Amino acid sequence: MERRSLAQQTAQRLYNLIAAEKKLAPGQKLPNELELSQEMGVSRATLREAIRALTTQGVLEVRRGKGTFVSPRAGELEDFGFDALERVRGQLRDLFELRSIVEPQAARLACQRATEAELQEILARGRQVDACIRAGEDRTRADREFHAAIVRATHNEFMMRLLPVINQAVASAVRTGEHREQLARDTLRDHALLLEFFQKRDGEGAEHAMAIHMRRSMDVMGLA
């Protein structure tokens, strides 16, 4: 049986422990990775993938420096199985495919069309994301506002209409449990390069930097 299918079964078993068997209560911390993988009879890699799926679904949440916990909202969520896990993963992939198409071109247009005030807002929003990551704070809002500032600076009505979709994708990526730290490190590096190109109003450079950022994120989350 392929690992991905086993991970889905593992996620369902973990969900059942929470929702049906009540062995893991909302707010409770999960056992450490080694202990839990042995208890469930799966590899640590399979367990990580299952935890990532449940984190994306909102059943689990990762707290920086503390571990993985059952979400306080876990009892409110509807049951899901193989098809739902596939749908969650598929939706995230689709969101990032859309971002990889739209946002590199948005970065180019923003460099060309942004007013000086809009350019300074992009740079300031980017620095806020950097500050949140370095302080170990939730960067969801800052990251959304950074990407929104770029899209607004395109002065393209239809790109603006895609902002809710882009915001959803940003929030989903930031919440991703297993790869959260890697994504944060990549964001620091990728955004630094992106801001450098914005500072120079180098549209071609900004386009390539954003494309690299999208691709790297997809690779890390296994969506490519």
Side-chain angles (χ1 to χ4, degrees), residues 42-63:
V42 297
S43 70
R44 294 170 74 174
T46 296
L47 178 63
R48 290 190 201 110
E49 189 171 343
I51 288 174
R52 182 172 67 248
L54 291 174
T55 301
T56 302
Q57 186 76 2
V59 177
L60 300 177
E61 58 183 33
V62 178
R63 299 177 188 172

Side-chain angles (χ1 to χ4, degrees), residues 6 8 13 15 28 39 52 54 64 84-85 94 96 107-108 130 153 159 171 173 178 184 189 205-207 217 221:
L6 182 57
Q8 291 163 348
R13 288 168 59 197
Y15 180 83
Q28 183 176 343
E39 179 181 337
R52 182 172 67 248
L54 291 174
R64 185 183 177 90
L85 283 172
D94 290 349
F96 269 82
R108 174 191 281 271
D130 183 282
M159 282 190 177
E178 179 189 352
R189 181 178 61 248
E207 179 182 4
S217 297
M221 292 187 289

Side-chain angles (χ1 to χ4, degrees), residues 160-177:
M160 286 289 296
R161 293 186 185 184
L162 290 174
L163 265 179
V165 177
I166 292 172
N167 287 341
Q168 181 183 350
V170 170
S172 296
V174 173
R175 288 197 304 265
T176 298

